[in-house]
Structures are given as structure tokens and as C-alpha cells.
Amino acid sequence: MKDTTSPLGKGKVTHDNLFNIQGNFVNVVVANAVAWGIPPADVAALVAERAIYEPLYHKCQNMNSRTRADVAAHKLAAEQYLKKLRLFWNKWIEDGDMPAQEKLLLGGDLLDTEPTPSCKIELTPYVNLKPAASGVIEVRSQTEKDATRVSMLAIADGIECRYTIVPKGEMPPGEPADCKNTLNSKKASVIIYCGPGNTGETFWGFFRWVNLTNPENSGSWSKGLQIVIE
């Protein structure tokens, strides 16, 4: 069962830090190979790869004397070495049954198996409504009342709007549950199409930040907002 992350994972290793990572890795493997049940032939092959890579690395550190051929040889050796280090990790470390704390000696990290914590959203969005032609309503949500840019709350996955179109002379909805339409958006800026046939009528909407992973953590509804459809 996988319980640690590899020190050789993608995105973790560059030419600048491979030298230090591999040095610790090989030293620890050599010191613990017998206890970990790693065959001598596999350890010897790893040490032999190190013997090819390290002289080329040192040679390329001298910017005054290195040649293009030296740089190219180092790059090729580093790529081949890293590939073999990863294969070694997969075969003898990741799929092995050694305790996680021993794997950490090689420079890895404990695998995070806990879900990302979430919390109840306490804030309501600040929403600006702007009518456009042909029955379009532009919705711009913000985390700060006087901000000039739209923004999404960090702990929210999106914004939810419950809305209805109120004909002239009729009563507006008293709460979100009274609205006929629901819209969810993962963006803080969204367009609602009311249709040109509703020009002159009133858009009424309630808005809240939502947590799509844990809906019970979604925020409270805003007060009802209205605007005349153009």
C-alpha cells in the first residue's frame, strides 16, 4: 500500500537539485540494502549509474572549462539516471513493505490521505446586476463590497442564484424557495438570459457562495436583488 510520495516525483527534480537528491538516495540505499532485502546486483547497478553521472555533473559546474559536448553529455546522463532512480524506487521502495518512516530516509514525504478540510461559509457575496440588450442580465460577484474586480471566495466552488421574473404589478418572491429558476456557476461573473420577451419586467434574484463538494457548508443567501430587464 502506498503511504509515501517519492523524492523523485515529476515536478520535484531539476538538474539543479538532482545531484543532492540522488546522493542521499544512493547512500541510504547502500546502508540499508541488506535490511530492506534489496539484491546486491540491483544496488551495484545503481552505484554504477552514479559513477557515470557524478563526474559529468562536476565537470559542468566549471563554466570556464566546460564545453557544449560536456553539457550535452551531462544532460543525457542525468535524464537516464533519473529514469533508473525512479524505476528503482517503484520496484524496491514504493511496492515494498518497509515502514513509511524508513522510506522517508530517502527524502520522500508522507502521503496525505486525509480529505482537504472545509468549513462552513459564513459570508454572502456582494453582487452587482447590470442589464444589457435583449433581456440579458450581467452578474458580477465580489468578496468585497467596494471592489472593482469580480472575485470568488477562496473556500467556495462557485456561486448559486435562485431567481424569477416578476411581471409588472405582481409581488416579488419573499425568499429563494419562491423562485422558479436556479443557476450555478463556477465563475464569479455570469450571464443570465431572461429573453427579449421579458423586457420591462423585473428580475429578482438571491445569491450565495456554494461548496459543491460539501453542500452543507454552502453559505447563506443574500437579500433579494432586483433590476428591470431591458
Side-chain angles (χ1 to χ4, degrees):
M1 177 178 170
K2 186 176 179 180
D3 50 14
T4 56
T5 62
S6 170
L8 306 161
K10 292 183 178 179
K12 291 186 177 182
V13 185
T14 67
H15 285 305
D16 293 329
N17 62 16
L18 173 60
F19 180 79
N20 293 325
I21 292 174
Q22 65 82 31
N24 174 74
F25 188 96
V26 176
N27 289 342
V28 173
V29 166
V30 171
N32 295 276
V34 175
W36 290 349
I38 302 175
D42 289 78
V43 178
L46 192 64
V47 172
E49 288 294 330
R50 179 180 187 175
I52 295 172
Y53 161 78
E54 286 194 344
L56 292 171
Y57 171 84
H58 288 302
K59 194 171 187 178
C60 283
Q61 297 314 295
N62 191 329
M63 300 182 66
N64 295 321
S65 63
R66 71 185 185 187
T67 65
R68 289 185 178 180
D70 294 332
V71 173
H74 166 254
K75 181 180 180 181
L76 178 61
E79 291 172 351
Q80 293 177 339
Y81 187 30
L82 181 56
K83 183 181 295 186
K84 292 181 179 179
L85 285 167
R86 285 171 172 161
L87 289 173
F88 189 96
W89 168 275
N90 292 336
K91 182 177 180 180
W92 295 111
I93 310 301
E94 182 172 305
D95 294 337
D97 57 1
M98 70 179 69
Q101 293 302 321
E102 293 188 13
K103 296 179 184 180
L104 297 183
L105 296 174
L106 293 163
D109 296 309
L110 284 174
L111 181 66
D112 182 7
T113 57
E114 295 295 326
T116 302
S118 60
C119 57
K120 175 69 177 179
I121 298 173
E122 303 292 344
L123 302 175
T124 54
Y126 295 100
V127 177
N128 293 312
L129 303 177
K130 180 181 178 181
S134 301
V136 170
I137 303 294
E138 298 178 1
V139 179
R140 294 168 58 87
S141 306
Q142 302 167 184
T143 56
E144 298 180 21
K145 186 175 182 180
D146 299 322
T148 58
R149 290 186 176 183
V150 297
S151 54
M152 180 71 71
L153 192 68
I155 58 175
D157 297 321
I159 190 166
E160 180 179 1
C161 171
R162 292 189 181 176
Y163 69 96
T164 194
I165 298 169
V166 181
K168 294 178 182 179
E170 293 191 11
M171 293 294 293
E175 56 184 323
D178 296 332
C179 294
K180 298 179 181 179
N181 307 294
T182 299
L183 180 144
N184 287 282
S185 173
K186 292 185 177 181
K187 296 182 178 180
S189 178
V190 64
I191 298 294
I192 297 179
Y193 297 93
C194 300
N198 292 309
T199 298
E201 297 180 348
T202 303
F203 169 93
W204 272 86
F206 299 83
F207 299 83
R208 67 171 180 168
W209 299 118
V210 291
N211 185 316
L212 300 176
T213 305
N214 298 292
E216 65 276 8
N217 287 332
S218 295
S220 300
W221 291 101
S222 68
K223 295 180 180 180
L225 301 176
Q226 62 174 308
I227 195 167
V228 176
I229 302 169
E230 296 182 356

Short mmCIF file of all heavy atoms in Angstrom, two decimals, residues 158-190:
data_model
loop_
_atom_site.label_atom_id
_atom_site.label_comp_id
_atom_site.label_asym_id
_atom_site.label_seq_id
_atom_site.Cartn_x
_atom_site.Cartn_y
_atom_site.Cartn_z
N GLY A 158 -18.19 27.93 -6.18
CA GLY A 158 -18.94 28.69 -7.16
C GLY A 158 -20.00 29.55 -6.49
O GLY A 158 -20.02 29.71 -5.26
N ILE A 159 -20.90 30.07 -7.30
CA ILE A 159 -21.99 30.90 -6.79
C ILE A 159 -23.30 30.35 -7.33
O ILE A 159 -23.38 29.88 -8.46
CB ILE A 159 -21.80 32.38 -7.18
CG1 ILE A 159 -22.81 33.26 -6.45
CG2 ILE A 159 -21.88 32.57 -8.69
CD1 ILE A 159 -22.47 34.74 -6.52
N GLU A 160 -24.32 30.37 -6.49
CA GLU A 160 -25.64 29.90 -6.88
C GLU A 160 -26.62 31.06 -6.88
O GLU A 160 -26.59 31.92 -5.98
CB GLU A 160 -26.14 28.81 -5.92
CG GLU A 160 -27.51 28.27 -6.27
CD GLU A 160 -27.99 27.18 -5.33
OE1 GLU A 160 -27.26 26.85 -4.37
OE2 GLU A 160 -29.10 26.66 -5.55
N CYS A 161 -27.48 31.09 -7.87
CA CYS A 161 -28.51 32.12 -7.97
C CYS A 161 -29.87 31.45 -8.13
O CYS A 161 -30.04 30.56 -8.97
CB CYS A 161 -28.24 33.05 -9.16
SG CYS A 161 -29.60 34.20 -9.50
N ARG A 162 -30.81 31.86 -7.31
CA ARG A 162 -32.20 31.46 -7.50
C ARG A 162 -32.96 32.73 -7.86
O ARG A 162 -32.88 33.73 -7.14
CB ARG A 162 -32.76 30.81 -6.24
CG ARG A 162 -32.12 29.45 -5.97
CD ARG A 162 -32.79 28.69 -4.86
NE ARG A 162 -32.13 27.42 -4.63
CZ ARG A 162 -32.45 26.57 -3.66
NH1 ARG A 162 -33.44 26.88 -2.82
NH2 ARG A 162 -31.80 25.44 -3.51
N TYR A 163 -33.65 32.68 -8.99
CA TYR A 163 -34.25 33.91 -9.48
C TYR A 163 -35.59 33.64 -10.14
O TYR A 163 -35.93 32.51 -10.50
CB TYR A 163 -33.30 34.59 -10.47
CG TYR A 163 -33.11 33.87 -11.78
CD1 TYR A 163 -33.87 34.22 -12.90
CD2 TYR A 163 -32.17 32.85 -11.91
CE1 TYR A 163 -33.70 33.58 -14.12
CE2 TYR A 163 -31.99 32.19 -13.12
CZ TYR A 163 -32.76 32.55 -14.22
OH TYR A 163 -32.59 31.90 -15.42
N THR A 164 -36.33 34.71 -10.30
CA THR A 164 -37.60 34.66 -11.02
C THR A 164 -37.83 35.99 -11.71
O THR A 164 -37.22 37.00 -11.33
CB THR A 164 -38.76 34.33 -10.06
OG1 THR A 164 -39.91 33.96 -10.82
CG2 THR A 164 -39.09 35.51 -9.16
N ILE A 165 -38.66 35.99 -12.70
CA ILE A 165 -39.01 37.22 -13.44
C ILE A 165 -40.41 37.64 -13.01
O ILE A 165 -41.37 36.86 -13.14
CB ILE A 165 -38.93 36.98 -14.95
CG1 ILE A 165 -37.48 36.61 -15.32
CG2 ILE A 165 -39.37 38.22 -15.70
CD1 ILE A 165 -37.33 36.11 -16.74
N VAL A 166 -40.50 38.83 -12.48
CA VAL A 166 -41.76 39.31 -11.91
C VAL A 166 -42.43 40.28 -12.88
O VAL A 166 -41.90 41.36 -13.16
CB VAL A 166 -41.52 40.00 -10.55
CG1 VAL A 166 -42.84 40.47 -9.96
CG2 VAL A 166 -40.79 39.07 -9.60
N PRO A 167 -43.61 39.94 -13.40
CA PRO A 167 -44.35 40.86 -14.27
C PRO A 167 -44.78 42.11 -13.50
O PRO A 167 -44.89 42.10 -12.27
CB PRO A 167 -45.56 40.04 -14.72
CG PRO A 167 -45.15 38.62 -14.52
CD PRO A 167 -44.27 38.63 -13.31
N LYS A 168 -45.03 43.16 -14.23
CA LYS A 168 -45.46 44.42 -13.61
C LYS A 168 -46.74 44.20 -12.80
O LYS A 168 -47.68 43.52 -13.25
CB LYS A 168 -45.70 45.47 -14.68
CG LYS A 168 -44.44 45.90 -15.42
CD LYS A 168 -44.77 46.92 -16.50
CE LYS A 168 -43.52 47.33 -17.27
NZ LYS A 168 -43.83 48.31 -18.35
N GLY A 169 -46.73 44.75 -11.59
CA GLY A 169 -47.92 44.67 -10.75
C GLY A 169 -47.99 43.45 -9.86
O GLY A 169 -48.86 43.37 -8.99
N GLU A 170 -47.08 42.48 -10.04
CA GLU A 170 -47.10 41.29 -9.20
C GLU A 170 -46.11 41.42 -8.06
O GLU A 170 -45.14 42.18 -8.12
CB GLU A 170 -46.81 40.04 -10.03
CG GLU A 170 -47.90 39.72 -11.04
CD GLU A 170 -47.73 38.36 -11.66
OE1 GLU A 170 -46.89 37.56 -11.15
OE2 GLU A 170 -48.44 38.07 -12.64
N MET A 171 -46.32 40.62 -7.00
CA MET A 171 -45.46 40.67 -5.82
C MET A 171 -44.14 39.92 -6.08
O MET A 171 -44.14 38.86 -6.72
CB MET A 171 -46.18 40.04 -4.63
CG MET A 171 -47.39 40.83 -4.15
SD MET A 171 -46.92 42.43 -3.46
CE MET A 171 -46.03 41.89 -2.00
N PRO A 172 -43.04 40.45 -5.58
CA PRO A 172 -41.75 39.75 -5.74
C PRO A 172 -41.68 38.55 -4.79
O PRO A 172 -42.45 38.46 -3.84
CB PRO A 172 -40.73 40.82 -5.33
CG PRO A 172 -41.47 41.67 -4.36
CD PRO A 172 -42.89 41.73 -4.87
N PRO A 173 -40.75 37.64 -5.04
CA PRO A 173 -40.60 36.47 -4.16
C PRO A 173 -40.10 36.90 -2.78
O PRO A 173 -39.29 37.81 -2.66
CB PRO A 173 -39.58 35.60 -4.89
CG PRO A 173 -38.80 36.58 -5.71
CD PRO A 173 -39.78 37.63 -6.14
N GLY A 174 -40.56 36.22 -1.76
CA GLY A 174 -40.14 36.58 -0.41
C GLY A 174 -38.85 35.90 0.02
O GLY A 174 -38.14 36.40 0.89
N GLU A 175 -38.52 34.76 -0.59
CA GLU A 175 -37.32 34.01 -0.23
C GLU A 175 -36.88 33.17 -1.42
O GLU A 175 -37.64 33.00 -2.39
CB GLU A 175 -37.59 33.14 0.99
CG GLU A 175 -38.75 32.17 0.82
CD GLU A 175 -39.02 31.39 2.08
OE1 GLU A 175 -38.04 31.04 2.75
OE2 GLU A 175 -40.19 31.12 2.37
N PRO A 176 -35.65 32.64 -1.37
CA PRO A 176 -35.13 31.87 -2.52
C PRO A 176 -36.03 30.72 -2.95
O PRO A 176 -36.15 30.44 -4.14
CB PRO A 176 -33.77 31.37 -2.01
CG PRO A 176 -33.36 32.38 -0.99
CD PRO A 176 -34.63 32.81 -0.31
N ALA A 177 -36.67 30.07 -2.00
CA ALA A 177 -37.51 28.91 -2.32
C ALA A 177 -38.70 29.29 -3.20
O ALA A 177 -39.30 28.43 -3.86
CB ALA A 177 -37.99 28.24 -1.04
N ASP A 178 -39.04 30.57 -3.21
CA ASP A 178 -40.18 31.03 -4.01
C ASP A 178 -39.80 31.27 -5.47
O ASP A 178 -40.68 31.55 -6.29
CB ASP A 178 -40.75 32.33 -3.42
CG ASP A 178 -41.32 32.12 -2.03
OD1 ASP A 178 -41.76 31.00 -1.72
OD2 ASP A 178 -41.31 33.09 -1.23
N CYS A 179 -38.52 31.21 -5.77
CA CYS A 179 -38.05 31.49 -7.14
C CYS A 179 -38.18 30.25 -8.02
O CYS A 179 -38.01 29.12 -7.58
CB CYS A 179 -36.60 31.96 -7.11
SG CYS A 179 -36.38 33.56 -6.29
N LYS A 180 -38.46 30.49 -9.29
CA LYS A 180 -38.71 29.39 -10.23
C LYS A 180 -37.43 28.83 -10.85
O LYS A 180 -37.41 27.69 -11.33
CB LYS A 180 -39.63 29.88 -11.35
CG LYS A 180 -41.00 30.33 -10.87
CD LYS A 180 -41.83 30.83 -12.05
CE LYS A 180 -43.21 31.31 -11.61
NZ LYS A 180 -44.01 31.82 -12.75
N ASN A 181 -36.35 29.64 -10.88
CA ASN A 181 -35.14 29.25 -11.63
C ASN A 181 -33.92 29.17 -10.73
O ASN A 181 -33.79 29.94 -9.77
CB ASN A 181 -34.88 30.26 -12.75
CG ASN A 181 -36.10 30.47 -13.63
OD1 ASN A 181 -36.53 29.55 -14.33
ND2 ASN A 181 -36.68 31.66 -13.57
N THR A 182 -33.03 28.26 -11.08
CA THR A 182 -31.76 28.11 -10.35
C THR A 182 -30.61 28.09 -11.34
O THR A 182 -30.69 27.43 -12.38
CB THR A 182 -31.74 26.82 -9.52
OG1 THR A 182 -32.79 26.85 -8.57
CG2 THR A 182 -30.40 26.67 -8.78
N LEU A 183 -29.55 28.81 -11.03
CA LEU A 183 -28.36 28.84 -11.87
C LEU A 183 -27.14 28.68 -10.99
O LEU A 183 -27.02 29.34 -9.95
CB LEU A 183 -28.28 30.15 -12.66
CG LEU A 183 -27.08 30.32 -13.60
CD1 LEU A 183 -27.49 31.07 -14.85
CD2 LEU A 183 -25.94 31.07 -12.91
N ASN A 184 -26.23 27.78 -11.37
CA ASN A 184 -24.96 27.60 -10.67
C ASN A 184 -23.82 27.92 -11.61
O ASN A 184 -23.84 27.54 -12.78
CB ASN A 184 -24.81 26.16 -10.17
CG ASN A 184 -25.70 25.87 -8.98
OD1 ASN A 184 -25.40 26.27 -7.86
ND2 ASN A 184 -26.82 25.19 -9.21
N SER A 185 -22.83 28.63 -11.10
CA SER A 185 -21.67 29.00 -11.92
C SER A 185 -20.40 28.83 -11.11
O SER A 185 -20.36 29.16 -9.92
CB SER A 185 -21.79 30.46 -12.38
OG SER A 185 -20.61 30.87 -13.04
N LYS A 186 -19.37 28.30 -11.75
CA LYS A 186 -18.07 28.19 -11.10
C LYS A 186 -17.24 29.46 -11.29
O LYS A 186 -16.11 29.54 -10.84
CB LYS A 186 -17.31 26.98 -11.64
CG LYS A 186 -17.94 25.65 -11.24
CD LYS A 186 -17.10 24.47 -11.70
CE LYS A 186 -17.70 23.16 -11.25
NZ LYS A 186 -16.88 21.99 -11.66
N LYS A 187 -17.83 30.43 -11.97
CA LYS A 187 -17.17 31.71 -12.18
C LYS A 187 -17.93 32.80 -11.45
O LYS A 187 -19.15 32.72 -11.28
CB LYS A 187 -17.08 32.03 -13.67
CG LYS A 187 -16.21 31.06 -14.46
CD LYS A 187 -16.13 31.48 -15.92
CE LYS A 187 -15.22 30.54 -16.71
NZ LYS A 187 -15.13 30.95 -18.14
N ALA A 188 -17.21 33.83 -11.03
CA ALA A 188 -17.83 34.92 -10.29
C ALA A 188 -18.58 35.86 -11.21
O ALA A 188 -19.39 36.68 -10.75
CB ALA A 188 -16.78 35.69 -9.50
N SER A 189 -18.34 35.76 -12.50
CA SER A 189 -19.04 36.59 -13.47
C SER A 189 -19.86 35.68 -14.38
O SER A 189 -19.33 34.72 -14.93
CB SER A 189 -18.04 37.40 -14.30
OG SER A 189 -18.70 38.17 -15.28
N VAL A 190 -21.15 35.98 -14.51
CA VAL A 190 -22.01 35.09 -15.27
C VAL A 190 -23.09 35.91 -15.98
O VAL A 190 -23.45 37.00 -15.54
CB VAL A 190 -22.65 34.02 -14.34
CG1 VAL A 190 -23.56 34.66 -13.32
CG2 VAL A 190 -23.39 32.96 -15.14
#
